[in-house]
Every structure is written in C-alpha cells, then in structure tokens.
Amino acid sequence: MRFAAYEYHNRRHVAVVEEDGTLYPLPAVGSLTGLLAQGGGLPALLEAGSASLDVPAGPDVSEVLLLPPLQPPTVRDFVTFEEHVEGVRRSVDGSAGVPEQWYAAPTFYFTNPYAVYGPHDDIPMPPGSNVLDFELEVAAVIGTEGRDLTPEQARDHILGYTIFNDWSARDLQSAEMKVGLGPCKGKDTATTLGPYLVTADELDKYRDHDGFLRLALTASVNGEVVGEDLLTNMSWTFEEMVAYASRGTCVRPGDILGSGTCGNGGCLAELWGVRGRQDPPPLKPGDTVTLTVEGIGSVSNTVVAGAAPVPLPTGRRRTRERP
C-alpha cells in the first residue's frame, strides 16, 4: 500500500493512495507518526489501510496539499554509495579516493527531524549560504522497536520506504568540517520526504538475489536530467544499515534511515568533484529540483530566498585564567 499525509479544507488526514490517485482516509487517524507509535508495525498499518477502503473515497491526490508522510522522531542519514563518496570528497575537502575506513561500516550522522518538508514545498536558502545542493536518496522507515538486531531480524522492522532529499549548503558544510565535527548548519535547514510512504511488501518485487532493491533513481534541475543511478549500487542493504543503527541502542517506530546520496549525479557536488568546476551551478532561488524513484514516485521542490543569518561574534581567544 501507499500512504499519504495531506491537508484538505484546513484539516490534516492520512490516507491510502490508490493507483488512480484516489485517497481513502483512515478513520480517526490524523498522523501516521502517531499511528506507528501505537505499535504493531507493518501488519497493523496494512490492517488500518484495509479498513479505510470500506469507507467512502476522499478527494483525488491532485486536489490536496501533500505533507511529509510522517514526522520522524529521529533521522539517520547514511553514506552507502561509493561513487558519491569519491566525487563529493574531492569537491568538499579536496581529497581523492574513498577512505579505507569507509568500507568498515555503514557510517551515518543524525540530521534535523524538525526541518522536514513535504514533496512540493518551497525550500528556503540556508542562512548565509550561496552554494545549495540537493541529494537524491531513499529512506527506510522503522515500524517496530528493535535493539542489537541482525540483518535478518532487521527486515521485519522495516515498515516501508520514501524519497529523501538531503538539502546541503556545501559552503557551510566545507567550512564546518574543517573543525573535525559536523556537518551541522550545512545540513540543518531542510529535508524533503515523500510523496508517500510505500510499504515494504510493495517493493519486494524489485529485490535482487543479494537483498538489494533494484530501483531506478533520477534527479533533474529545471526539467533537465543531471543524475541517474540504481539503488542496487549501495554497498550495504537497508537491513544491514538497520542492524548497525540498532547496535547498542534502539531503533523505534517512525525512525528514518536515509540511504545516502546515489552516484552518477545524485547531487551537484559529486559532479563538481568529477568535472573540477561548479557545473551545473549551485542552486539558487527559482530553481526546481525533481527527484524520482521507481516504485515510490516523485518529489519536486522549488528553492526560494531564505532568512539572513543573525550576526554572531567570532570565538574569543581567552587568556586561560585559572581559579
């Protein structure tokens, strides 16, 4: 099933999305995040979705404002595409190749769950940035709590998938990471999720013999295709990522795990690293980025002007007095 969160006549709803775009609202459910928090995982979600098909149909998806399918309590963003690492590393910090340590484990960072945007929302320029970039990813959504999971166990904890755009201020990111921490404000302004949450069983037909989902990925800017890849170019499966995320801690319903940016133009910075110049140029207000993932759908966001940064002083060089 495909689930959407949307606003219609100033009210928020959650619905099953049929192939023809008809929405079937879930009775008495105003938030997919809240529904998942009740437990039950994928079976409970499918049961709730089936119940919605017994009530009158709602509006067509073209008549509503689509919201992010859920508001995740946590967002882990991995980096699992070797080609992306190689290109972006050259662009952001001037280094060549892929660090050997990258192959040891599926690295991730936590990004901002309070900066989630819907599939067609405008995206403001990050304050103080002039080098905005998109990142084409797919995200897995956790359905049931788990800890210290094996990859085999982890499959039962994945509820479904959605498109994930990790908007990145490359100039801020490059400066921040010279400190040895981050990214922080370089990744803090916006993450797009959508257009739907597609349940895991819907995508099983795309799974290859190694457990990867063979989904075609396409990125375009202002209608021009700039990147194409396959999700099977990930170096770890989503189940392996969930297992690693749960090591020594918990994954819980509604948590999101991004695949990391795909290669072959999954972001502009990778192309800059390969070409040695900013071609295509960084995103600016008025640019529209459309990301499409086979089996899930498309998200399309337009960049708009953002707020000016509130001025702060530079760090103070102290005399290091002691009591």
Side-chain angles (χ1 to χ4, degrees):
M1 287 184 176
R2 297 184 299 167
F3 290 83
Y6 66 95
E7 187 175 296
Y8 185 64
H9 291 166
N10 298 316
R11 295 188 63 185
R12 296 193 171 202
H13 307 267
V14 174
V16 172
V17 187
E18 290 291 273
E19 288 295 329
D20 64 359
T22 304
L23 295 167
Y24 285 85
L26 275 62
V29 176
S31 161
L32 194 55
T33 308
L35 179 62
L36 299 185
Q38 296 175 18
L42 180 57
L45 181 61
L46 293 175
E47 182 179 352
S50 296
S52 75
L53 301 179
D54 295 329
V55 300
D60 187 85
V61 70
S62 64
E63 302 174 303
V64 305
L65 172 65
L66 284 176
L67 305 171
L70 74 162
Q71 292 290 337
T74 70
V75 183
R76 295 172 176 88
D77 195 9
F78 286 73
V79 53
T80 70
F81 287 83
E82 190 178 26
E83 187 176 9
H84 168 75
V85 174
E86 189 171 21
V88 168
R89 196 161 177 250
R90 187 182 298 120
S91 173
V92 173
D93 63 20
S95 302
V98 177
E100 192 61 33
Q101 185 59 33
W102 179 82
Y103 298 96
T107 309
F108 67 89
Y109 71 97
F110 281 96
T111 191
N112 189 352
Y114 305 117
V116 174
Y117 285 76
H120 303 296
D121 291 343
D122 290 341
I123 303 297
M125 288 287 295
S129 174
N130 293 305
V131 188
L132 181 61
D133 196 359
F134 68 87
E135 298 202 44
L136 170 52
E137 309 186 26
V138 174
V141 181
I142 298 298
T144 53
E145 183 172 325
R147 183 186 182 97
D148 291 315
L149 300 170
T150 66
E152 292 73 24
Q153 293 168 333
R155 180 167 295 187
D156 291 335
H157 292 260
I158 296 175
L159 181 89
Y161 300 89
T162 192
I163 298 175
F164 183 113
N165 187 346
D166 172 35
W167 299 88
S168 301
R170 297 299 187 190
D171 45 356
L172 303 184
Q173 177 188 2
S174 180
E176 291 165 345
M177 296 188 74
K178 288 180 172 61
V179 181
L181 289 175
C184 46
K185 284 299 174 184
K187 299 275 193 173
D188 201 40
T189 300
T191 298
T192 296
L193 297 178
Y196 313 120
L197 169 65
V198 178
T199 56
D201 57 305
E202 284 281 314
L203 298 181
D204 276 342
K205 61 186 177 184
Y206 296 99
R207 198 175 295 278
D208 70 11
H209 64 278
D210 291 320
F212 291 88
L213 295 172
R214 187 178 174 85
L215 304 179
L217 314 171
T218 305
S220 66
V221 178
N222 300 328
E224 180 179 348
V225 173
V226 297
E228 294 179 294
D229 203 2
L230 288 170
L231 198 60
T232 42
N233 285 323
M234 295 168 64
S235 290
W236 290 272
T237 66
F238 281 105
E239 290 79 7
E240 290 162 346
M241 293 157 55
V242 172
Y244 187 66
S246 74
R247 185 181 293 179
T249 187
C250 288
V251 291
R252 293 182 173 173
D255 287 352
I256 277 184
L257 290 79
S259 64
T261 308
C262 67
N264 195 38
C267 70
L268 298 178
E270 180 206 323
L271 298 176
W272 302 338
V274 171
R275 297 172 181 175
R277 63 186 186 280
Q278 288 189 341
D279 175 30
L283 300 171
K284 62 185 184 303
D287 286 338
T288 297
V289 176
T290 301
L291 308 181
T292 301
V293 177
E294 184 180 8
I296 299 179
S298 297
V299 298
S300 190
N301 302 96
T302 298
V303 178
V304 296
V310 176
L312 292 174
T314 58
R316 297 163 178 83
R317 298 181 184 275
R318 294 300 193 180
T319 58
R320 306 184 188 183
E321 294 180 282
R322 300 288 185 262

